[in-house]
Amino acid sequence: MQSFGIFKNNLRLTLIRKNKLQYQTIQTNRFQETKDFYAKTLGIEINEETSDVFSVRIGWSILRFQKSIDSCLYHYCFLIPSNSLEKALVWMGKRMDIIEVEDGEKIVNFEEWNADSFYFYDGSGNIAELIVHYDLDNSIKQEFDFSAVLGISEIGIGTNDVESTNSFLEENCHTDFWKGDLIRFGTNGSAEGKFLIANYNKKEIWFPTQIKIKPVPFEVEIENRNKVYRLEYIDGNLRKV
């Protein structure tokens, strides 16, 4: 599988300072629908645009989509201020369907993380999420619109070995194991920016959907503790660029 050139035109996905995801490239076979979702539904200015690439700047992050023939479905998440969940739910709910979970509820609580979130589909059919981490001091006074989003908070990695994937990140990016376990589902990073590492042989789908967890390709650039690390995930292999 070919790499898709995240680093052209100075575009990057970065974890700045300690574990802040700032640049991410993922693939889509629904290019126009995805561009319309961000530009029209969410009202975000297109940051970069060619015939087969577009990107949007969201807080400290740039999210970049590369046109693909293949259907690749991802899970990613945006961090929002800790006092804005209910307002975000109302604002987003006027523009799209929010995914209902158990008993029709739309907000999910993650007690171990001290976090709440809700989920929706983007224009590609990816499962996207807005999350608040109450341990972070990032509340705001303004009303919520998508300009209040702080940045990319999570990117999911489908793998057959959580422990080795986590070890690769620890050794090559000097990030730390965060929550979960090293067998089925673990996380590497911090509340502000983290990799969700899921063993697709033991955890089949991305909650709360029926989207199968697969080793879909992506590219990232990570700044952690003021150092930059470039990674790509292709054919189930994570490597430093």
Side-chain angles (χ1 to χ4, degrees):
M1 185 175 294
Q2 291 184 336
S3 174
F4 26 103
I6 184 173
F7 306 117
K8 291 181 180 179
N9 301 323
N10 296 320
L11 291 178
R12 340 175 254 195
L13 167 61
T14 310
L15 287 167
I16 288 210
R17 295 179 186 168
K18 185 177 180 181
N19 306 325
K20 280 189 177 178
L21 291 161
Q22 283 195 324
Y23 212 109
Q24 172 178 305
T25 294
I26 59 179
Q27 296 189 359
T28 179
N29 66 343
R30 295 167 60 181
F31 187 77
Q32 187 61 49
E33 295 97 319
T34 307
K35 186 166 65 172
D36 288 345
F37 175 82
Y38 277 97
K40 296 179 181 179
T41 303
L42 296 180
I44 300 173
E45 183 179 356
I46 300 299
N47 186 65
E48 170 202 20
E49 184 175 6
T50 69
S51 61
D52 60 358
V53 169
F54 83 90
S55 69
V56 286
R57 181 176 292 278
I58 301 170
W60 61 58
S61 306
I62 289 180
L63 177 60
R64 188 170 185 259
F65 290 89
Q66 170 79 48
K67 184 184 290 185
S68 172
I69 300 173
D70 301 323
S71 175
C72 298
L73 292 178
Y74 300 80
H75 172 46
Y76 61 90
C77 175
F78 300 111
L79 181 67
I80 59 176
S82 57
N83 63 339
S84 63
L85 186 73
E86 294 288 348
K87 292 180 179 179
L89 182 62
V90 171
W91 191 89
M92 295 287 285
K94 292 178 180 178
R95 292 159 175 81
M96 68 199 69
D97 292 330
I98 306 301
I99 297 174
E100 293 186 354
V101 289
E102 187 175 356
D103 298 326
E105 293 293 326
K106 295 180 179 179
I107 293 176
V108 180
N109 174 252
F110 299 96
E111 184 176 358
E112 185 183 2
W113 293 16
N114 193 22
D116 287 328
S117 75
F118 63 85
Y119 297 85
F120 56 95
Y121 294 105
D122 72 4
S124 294
N126 298 311
I127 178 63
E129 179 183 4
L130 294 185
I131 194 167
V132 297
H133 282 274
Y134 297 111
D135 291 338
L136 298 176
D137 182 15
N138 57 15
S139 63
I140 58 172
K141 295 181 180 179
Q142 71 190 70
E143 291 298 311
F144 183 88
D145 61 26
F146 217 77
S147 67
V149 174
L150 299 170
I152 298 172
S153 177
E154 302 169 8
I155 176 65
I157 303 177
T159 179
N160 60 6
D161 193 329
V162 174
E163 185 172 9
S164 66
T165 302
N166 177 73
S167 294
F168 178 93
L169 294 168
E170 289 183 335
E171 292 168 8
N172 289 275
C173 304
H174 307 289
T175 51
D176 300 316
F177 185 77
W178 192 57
K179 307 281 187 181
D181 63 76
L182 293 172
I183 304 298
R184 180 177 178 270
F185 178 77
T187 57
N188 179 287
S190 69
E192 284 189 308
K194 53 196 169 292
F195 294 95
L196 309 183
I197 313 170
N199 185 331
Y200 49 73
N201 292 319
K202 298 181 181 296
K203 176 179 169 60
E204 294 185 359
I205 59 174
W206 289 118
F207 175 84
T209 74
Q210 294 302 309
I211 293 176
K212 296 286 187 181
I213 297 173
K214 296 181 179 180
V216 288
F218 62 85
E219 294 186 8
V220 299
E221 182 179 296
I222 303 168
E223 185 178 343
N224 180 40
R225 298 181 177 94
N226 298 319
K227 292 187 178 180
V228 175
Y229 307 93
R230 296 175 178 178
L231 305 175
E232 64 179 9
Y233 192 57
I234 297 177
D235 295 332
N237 296 307
L238 192 61
R239 73 181 187 94
K240 201 171 178 179
V241 179

